[in-house]
Each structure stands twice: as C-alpha cells, then as structure tokens.
C-alpha cells in the first residue's frame, strides 16, 4: 500500500495532517469501466497517508464512496439503489461520510447533493488527488461539498502510482484521461473532460514499478489511446506517438505481454497497425469499436469513418497480422435506426467475424447531441435487435472457439480459475489467457494448485474443449 503521494505537478492545498488521528476505514464500490477501477486505486493511494485502510464491509467504514458510471442509464440506476441501501448506516454512525465519485458525480454535481439529503460529498474524476482536502471541508464548516470543476489542461496533475504489495500478473496503466471526440451518443467527454496525456517518463516509471512487483502483462489505458501525446506536442514539447510509446514500453525488461484499450477507428493509423507482429510483447488482439454497420448511422453518431474505411482498416490489420483477434462495441437502436440500417450492422458482424463483441441498447444520455434526436426506437424493438446481434455473434464466437480445439497455445497464468471456487470437478483448475485474450482453464494436481507456482508463468497448453466463454486444456 502507498505511503506517499507524488503529483506530476502540484496544484493542491495541503489537507490536515494525519498526526494523532485514529485509524479509519474506507469502503469504495466501483461501477463501470477500467478507468473507474484505476481511479479507485488512486483513491486508496491518496487516502493511505491519512490513516485510511480499505475495508470490504460498509458497516465498518468511516468513509463510503461509490465510484460511479453514467455511460448508460442502467449503471446510473444501479448506483442510486445502492446509495439508498447504504443510507441507514448514517443513522448508526455520526462520523460516517457518504460520498459519490466518478462519472455520475461529475454529471450531476450539486443536483445530486440536493436530491440525496444524506449525501455528504460529490466529486468528479479530476478531484481524486484532492480527496483529503475535500474530506477536511466536509468535516469543517461546509458540511456538504460538491466539487466538479474540470482542471484546465495545464493544471491537471496525474497521481503517480506507487509500488504496492498486491500487484497482479496483469495490470493496467492509465496513459491519458478524457476524450476530445464528439460521438453523439457518448457522455464520456462531459464526465471525463478534455484529453490530457501522462508524461512518457511517468508511464515508464509506473510500468517498471509494476513489473518489479510481479506484473507480466501491461494494458495501456485511455478512452482513445491513439490520441496519446497530442495535447503535449501541441505545447511544443517532444513526446512519443502512441505507436512509439508501445515500443518504449515493450523495451522494458520483464514486460512479457502488452495490450491497450481503447482505440477510435479513425485514429487507427498505419504506424499503429505496423506494431502488430513487429513489437514482440504486443498481443495479437485489438478492440476496435465500430458501433454500427450503417453509413447513415455512423454519420449521425459523428464517428467520422464509413463502413468501407473501417473494413479497410480491419483488412490492413489482418494483412499485417493474420492471427489477430478482434473485438468491438455495437449500439443498437440509435435514434432513427431503421430495420435496414440495423441489418447493415448484422451484415458487418457476419463480414468481419469478430472473436467477441460487447453490444448495448442505445441509452439516451443528458446533454449529448443524440439526446436532441429523441429516443425513437421503442424498447421492445431495441431488445429484439440486441438479441439478434448476440445470437449471430454467439454462433461466430462458438465456431472460432471450436477451431482452437487440438491447438497448442501460450497462456499467461493469472491464478485460480473462477470454477475453482465453485467446487466440484473444476475445483483445482487454474486460469490463464492466450495472447488473443481467451481464457483457458487447466486442471493441476492439488499440491500445485495451493502452491501458486504457476502464477505469472507463461506456459504452453493443448486445447481439449471449447466451452461457451472459455477453453479447457492441459499443460503440454
Ligand atoms: N472509447 C471508450 C468508449 C467508452 S464507452 C472506451 O474506452 O471504451 C464504451 C462503449 O459503450 C462504447 O463504445 C459504446 O458502444 C457504448 N456506449 C457509449 N455510450 C452509449 C450510450 N449512450 N448508449 C449505449 N451504449 C453506449
Ligand atoms: Fe465516447 Fe466516442 Fe470518446 S465513444 S469516449 S466520445 S471516442
């Protein structure tokens, strides 16, 4: 756990010193994407010097934070109902501070404080580093605090991740925050603000610390990683392109596998494509969200590519790296989407034959351009379209998984398989991922299961069976 907090540049007030304060407990529940998971790590990091220990029991906590997601309204509803269930704890504990962080906090700000009378604190993602100061303000004369102003680009400071004692085999490193794109459906640019890139030096230091702590696989994280560094180079400072950054991270000793997420197809340019098959640790896997197969819908979504230009990129990628596994995001029921336009999405899925997809029903988000277009596709129709997309993809995924049976693949062992906790025949299985991001479960003798000796190792497995979402195999 962290013992100090380093900021890239320092624009913080100092919070009250920890001296003499009793130990406290913090409970954080994280909703949504990997960015939020990363912010939760930073929350723990920034609180540790102030005597806060993480707890998994909200009843034990002096501080409860919900780190929220607002990308679709379902995530938002889930968070509101969780808040309601936590409220009674306030009656038993006068000292308890209840707060909302993340994207709903950024989106709602003061309105959330007004709506939820027992809430003490609301703060957006830009303010994680300032959390101790915000807590002082809550305990002081202000009582209830909302802080959602975005920092100016030049004032934004990343928190440098410190060495931890719980480093996993596969770790994420945030390389930038925010998104400068204008996809009509998306709330992220409103909740996460403008793009700001972390300095390459800080990224390299973080990767080195993680590798020293036992990480073997690093995923570079950003809303649109291909834009990495553009904000820095606009100021005249020299900065690697994203493709160069991949090469620099690859060169760090101990990085066995490298991944990144997410890319916008518009920015998936040749120098990035050239990295596949050329940068040794870069895994043959690419998540390239297409959203729709219809040119009219892509234009209304303001995605700035066409079906044909997207397919051309897929073709380039496959030419460069024939084994590359592809995944994507799909939205069904975008405002005005006709049956014919929906069919274009199905035909694109059939044409590309992704290894896996994430598909969502369109969810109207306040303040976005798409919200002005009305939510025209009725819910039952969205449901039907989603079911069709999922059914088509299930067949493709199944066929692709079955094609692996009999093959020998390299996995990076992450730990006990999910099945091992369920008991039964899967009791002593461990799991690892292939470079193409597939999960393979492998049985091991009881003694080896408990010894953890496989964790973090690259090992060859022979695939014996394809299950619905994973493979089953044996060590070669
Ligand atoms: N570039 C980002 C995208 C964030 S949102 C990233 O890091 O992944 C993730 C996915 O959620 C999008 O690709 C899109 O398919 C889906 N999504 C975003 N806004 C949505 C909305 N209003 N309704 C339904 N799905 C949405
Ligand atoms: Fe959202 Fe589009 Fe950015 S989906 S995160 S606005 S690339």
């Amino acid at each position: 756990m962290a013992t100090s907090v380093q900021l890239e540049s320092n624009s913080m007030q100092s919070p009250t010193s920890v001296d003499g304060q009793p130990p406290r407990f913090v409970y954080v529940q994280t909703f949504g994407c990997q960015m939020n998971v990363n912010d939760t790590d930073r929350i723990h990091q920034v609180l540790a010097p102030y005597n806060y220990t993480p707890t998994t029991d909200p009843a034990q906590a002096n501080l409860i934070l919900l780190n929220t997601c607002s990308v679709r309204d379902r995530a938002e509803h889930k968070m509101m109902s969780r808040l309601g269930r936590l409220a009674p704890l306030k009656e038993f504990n006068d000292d308890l501070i209840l707060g909302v962080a993340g994207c709903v906090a950024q989106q709602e700000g003061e309105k959330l404080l007004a709506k939820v009378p027992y809430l003490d604190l609301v703060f957006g993602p830009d303010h994680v580093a300032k959390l101790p100061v915000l807590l002082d303000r809550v305990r002081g004369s202000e009582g209830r605090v909302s802080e959602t102003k975005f920092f100016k680009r030049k004032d934004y400071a990343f928190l440098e991740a410190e060495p931890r004692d719980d480093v996993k085999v596969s770790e994420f490193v945030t390389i930038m925050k925010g998104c400068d794109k204008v996809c009509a459906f998306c709330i992220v640019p409103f909740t996460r603000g403008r793009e700001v890139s972390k300095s390459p030096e800080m990224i390299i230091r973080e990767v080195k610390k993680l590798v020293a702590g036992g990480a073997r696989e690093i995923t570079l994280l950003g809303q649109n990683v291909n834009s990495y560094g553009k904000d820095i180079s606009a100021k005249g400072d020299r900065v690697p392109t994203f493709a160069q950054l991949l090469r620099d991270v690859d060169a760090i000793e101990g990085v066995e596998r490298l991944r990144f997420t997410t890319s916008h197809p518009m920015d998936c340019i040749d120098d990035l494509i050239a990295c596949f098959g050329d940068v040794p640790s870069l895994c043959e896997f690419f998540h390239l969200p297409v959203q729709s197969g219809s040119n009219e819908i892509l234009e209304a979504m303001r995605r700035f590519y066409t079906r044909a230009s997207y397919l051309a990129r897929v073709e380039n990628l496959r030419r460069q790296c024939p084994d590359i596994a592809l995944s994507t995001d799909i939205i069904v029921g975008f405002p005005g989407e006709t049956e014919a336009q929906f069919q274009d999405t199905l035909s694109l899925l059939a044409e590309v034959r992704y290894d896996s997809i994430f598909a969502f029903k369109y969810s109207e988000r306040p303040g976005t351009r798409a919200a002005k277009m009305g939510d025209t596709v009725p819910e039952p129709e969205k449901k039907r379209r989603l079911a069709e997309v999922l059914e088509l993809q299930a067949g493709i995924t199944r066929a692709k998984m079955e094609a692996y049976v009999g093959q020998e693949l390299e996995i990076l062992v992450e730990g006990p398989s999910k099945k091992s906790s369920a008991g039964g025949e899967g009791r002593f299985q461990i799991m690892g991922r292939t470079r193409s991001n597939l999960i393979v479960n492998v049985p091991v003798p009881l003694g080896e299961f408990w010894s953890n000796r496989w964790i973090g190792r690259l090992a060859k497995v022979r695939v014996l069976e394809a299950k619905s979402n994973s493979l089953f195999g044996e060590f070669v």
Side-chain angles (χ1 to χ4, degrees):
M1 193 46 68
T3 49
S4 69
V5 172
Q6 276 180 39
L7 285 167
E8 198 167 16
S9 69
N10 203 334
S11 53
M12 275 182 27
Q13 305 158 246
S14 298
T16 306
S17 125
V18 68
D19 293 345
Q21 289 187 15
R24 293 182 167 128
F25 291 96
V26 53
Y27 170 86
V28 187
Q29 185 171 359
T30 313
F31 298 79
C33 70
Q34 199 57 45
M35 281 287 176
N36 274 8
V37 176
N38 220 265
D39 282 349
T40 294
D41 287 346
R42 298 291 84 77
I43 286 173
H44 288 306
Q45 180 184 345
V46 83
L47 289 177
Y50 298 92
N51 242 358
Y52 279 93
T53 307
T55 175
T56 52
D57 177 11
Q60 187 192 30
N62 311 85
L63 169 63
I64 294 180
L65 294 173
L66 299 187
N67 192 4
T68 59
C69 169
S70 64
V71 77
R72 286 168 290 275
D73 63 351
R74 242 184 69 176
E76 206 174 317
H77 289 151
K78 244 167 78 182
M79 158 334 249
M80 287 304 275
S81 80
R82 181 70 180 136
L83 207 49
R85 273 182 285 131
L86 290 168
L89 291 177
K90 292 275 291 180
E91 289 170 28
F92 301 108
N93 183 356
D94 286 343
D95 185 44
L96 174 64
I97 294 180
L98 187 55
V100 172
C103 290
V104 178
Q106 183 64 42
Q107 184 190 311
E108 297 292 310
E110 293 279 353
K111 278 188 281 173
L112 196 58
L113 275 190
K115 203 154 65 183
V116 187
Y118 50 84
L119 195 59
D120 304 296
L121 173 63
V122 174
F123 64 104
D126 268 21
H127 294 272
V128 167
K130 269 192 9 182
L131 181 54
V133 180
L134 299 178
L135 292 173
D136 268 4
R137 284 172 53 194
V138 171
R139 287 206 194 86
S141 58
E142 282 179 73
R144 304 178 78 211
V145 171
S146 162
E147 192 64 84
T148 54
K149 228 172 76 202
F150 283 121
F151 282 104
K152 288 206 177 94
R153 249 179 187 156
K154 66 177 173 47
D155 296 330
Y156 184 83
F158 283 100
L159 263 174
E160 179 158 345
E162 287 288 299
R164 309 187 323 251
D165 52 19
D166 59 348
V167 173
K168 295 184 288 302
V169 172
S170 178
E171 286 279 349
F172 290 81
V173 173
T174 302
I175 62 164
M176 59 196 297
K177 73 118 201 167
C179 184
D180 285 358
K181 293 275 186 272
V182 284
C183 304
F185 51 80
C186 187
I187 199 148
V188 171
F190 301 92
T191 60
R192 294 264 162 187
R194 304 297 302 275
E195 281 168 8
V196 186
S197 300
K198 204 180 257 184
S199 73
E201 295 79 15
M202 194 188 248
I203 295 169
I204 300 290
R205 279 199 304 269
E206 287 193 13
V207 173
K208 284 185 175 165
K209 283 181 214 169
L210 288 168
V211 171
R216 292 285 165 268
E217 177 175 279
I218 299 292
T219 303
L220 303 181
L221 193 66
Q223 301 294 348
N224 178 22
V225 290
N226 307 137
S227 291
Y228 173 75
K230 286 185 185 156
D231 55 306
I232 305 181
S233 53
K235 287 192 303 192
D237 294 344
R238 280 196 52 219
V239 66
T241 60
F242 180 61
Q244 184 56 48
L245 183 69
L246 284 175
R247 290 172 194 277
D248 294 347
V249 174
D250 171 73
I252 297 173
E253 200 171 322
V255 175
E256 309 269 7
R257 286 183 172 189
L258 181 57
R259 302 181 190 276
F260 59 86
T261 194
T262 303
S263 306
H264 189 290
M266 255 270 291
D267 299 329
C268 167
I269 44 178
D270 293 347
D271 69 338
L272 178 59
I273 294 178
C275 291
F276 284 96
D278 183 25
V279 175
S281 63
L282 185 62
C283 292
E284 294 75 22
F285 174 82
F286 204 149
H287 180 67
L288 197 56
V290 67
Q291 315 296 357
S292 167
S294 148
N295 281 336
E296 294 97 354
I297 294 295
L298 288 173
E299 194 180 340
M301 285 177 164
R302 296 167 64 84
R303 292 287 289 180
F304 298 104
Y305 53 85
T306 61
R307 178 186 175 109
S309 65
Y310 180 91
L311 289 173
R313 285 199 174 149
V314 168
E315 205 184 312
N316 284 348
L317 268 167
R318 284 187 166 150
R319 196 174 314 124
Q320 171 75 15
C321 181
D323 289 338
I324 198 158
L326 295 174
S327 77
T328 201
D329 291 341
I330 297 285
I331 297 177
V332 298
F334 185 79
E337 187 189 64
T338 63
E339 178 61 26
Q341 289 163 339
F342 168 63
Q343 291 295 329
D344 288 341
T345 296
L346 290 181
S347 72
L348 180 121
L349 290 177
E351 192 170 340
V352 176
R353 293 182 66 78
Y354 294 97
D355 294 73
S356 60
I357 66 165
F358 299 91
F360 312 101
K361 290 181 287 180
Y362 170 72
S363 167
E364 186 177 283
R365 305 284 62 216
T368 58
R369 273 170 182 265
K372 299 193 187 85
M373 302 161 76
D375 195 356
T376 63
V377 181
E379 181 62 22
E381 182 56 23
K382 281 187 196 164
K383 250 193 177 147
R384 192 216 99 215
R385 290 182 191 181
L386 180 65
E388 272 200 47
V389 161
L390 295 177
E391 195 190 326
L392 171 65
Q393 183 58 39
I396 298 169
T397 300
R398 177 100 216 133
K400 292 215 165 207
M401 303 275 279
E402 272 164 11
Y404 286 109
V405 175
Q407 282 192 32
E408 283 183 13
L409 304 171
E410 180 200 79
I411 62 166
L412 174 63
V413 179
E414 292 183 13
S417 107
K418 261 198 191 143
K419 292 197 173 70
S420 61
S421 55
E425 60 172 282
R427 207 147 38 124
F428 301 117
Q429 290 184 11
I430 52 177
M431 67 74 73
R433 271 171 212 276
T434 64
R435 287 177 63 99
S436 61
N437 213 27
L438 278 170
I439 290 176
V440 187
N441 293 311
V442 190
V444 288
L446 185 140
E448 291 192 12
F449 181 83
W450 294 115
S451 74
N452 289 343
R453 79 176 185 94
W454 288 97
I455 294 180
R457 282 174 58 174
L458 291 167
K460 270 259 158 65
V461 292
R462 184 176 303 108
V463 180
L464 300 174
E465 200 184 334
K467 312 258 183 187
S468 46
N469 292 311
S470 61
L471 300 171
F472 178 76
E474 63 183 4
F475 286 118
V476 176

